[in-house]
Amino acid sequence: MAYPTVSAPYGFQPINRVGGTPYAGSTRLVPIVSSGGLSSAAMYDGDLVELTSAGTCQTIASGSAAPQALGVCVGVQYTNSSGQTVQAQYAPANSQNAVAYVVDDPFALFKVAMVSSGTTIAGLGRTAVGQNSSVVLNAGNATTGDSKQAISSTTATTNTLPIRIVDTITETATGADTFVEFVVKINT
């Protein structure tokens, strides 16, 4: 039987909560950081976001530390140039009145791909479980609205890294003990 192949990173996808409770889709609307009422940068579905000192959110600025990590963006809402409210997968830069739907549950678990660098898929064994990882900050896809963020295949016990690896995704394993997707939680 052929298993699905993970050919590129796709951001963080909520799957359930610590303890196995199903993810019920709860989110919080958080304004996206703006300048003069327009969003400063694009935000994609699956982006790990951080809270700013102004109480707004933005895509995390550093993949190796997340003291302000808030959660994961799973959609956006903004006003387009015609004055219409748009709900979408991503908010382009310079969107007006942009807000993100953020999964900010501290017990939420996410599925994410692992890369060696950029968008090159990499794998590790089960020994990665319990380790921490940094986030690889790839630019999202404006056509699909999907994030291309991933976790790094360089893991450590350093608890200041933003992501904690909780489990493996066996369905996309490339070998008996080589996994390219992992279940993770935000390590804040």
Side-chain angles (χ1 to χ4, degrees):
M1 175 190 222
Y3 289 104
T5 301
V6 178
S7 58
Y10 49 80
F12 293 80
Q13 295 180 348
I15 55 171
N16 62 358
R17 297 183 79 223
V18 172
T21 306
Y23 169 66
S26 63
T27 58
R28 181 174 319 283
L29 278 174
V30 182
I32 296 174
V33 68
S34 68
S35 175
L38 301 176
S39 62
S40 300
M43 184 176 290
Y44 297 87
D45 176 37
D47 277 356
L48 184 63
V49 299
E50 64 186 358
L51 193 61
T52 69
S53 60
T56 58
C57 71
Q58 65 186 11
T59 300
I60 62 169
S62 168
S64 60
Q68 298 290 326
L70 175 63
V72 172
C73 172
V74 292
V76 298
Q77 178 177 303
Y78 61 93
T79 305
N80 67 14
S81 59
S82 299
Q84 300 164 319
T85 300
V86 176
Q87 293 178 325
Q89 289 276 105
Y90 92 107
N94 301 318
S95 298
Q96 188 172 21
N97 304 318
V99 293
Y101 293 88
V102 178
V103 176
D104 64 349
D105 180 348
F107 297 106
L109 296 177
F110 304 90
K111 178 173 81 165
V112 66
M114 179 175 277
V115 296
S116 55
S117 67
T119 59
T120 304
I121 297 295
L124 287 178
R126 273 204 67 80
T127 55
V129 174
Q131 296 282 307
N132 299 309
S133 180
S134 59
V135 178
V136 178
L137 303 174
N138 297 309
N141 183 328
T143 302
T144 64
D146 293 330
S147 173
K148 288 195 175 208
Q149 289 184 355
I151 60 171
S152 171
S153 60
T154 303
T155 62
T157 57
T158 311
N159 65 1
T160 56
L161 291 172
I163 300 299
R164 176 91 167 170
I165 300 172
V166 175
D167 203 358
T168 60
I169 303 289
T170 57
E171 291 81 12
T172 54
T174 58
D177 190 36
T178 305
F179 304 93
V180 296
E181 289 182 300
F182 292 86
V183 177
V184 301
K185 73 178 206 60
I186 299 172
N187 201 18
T188 55

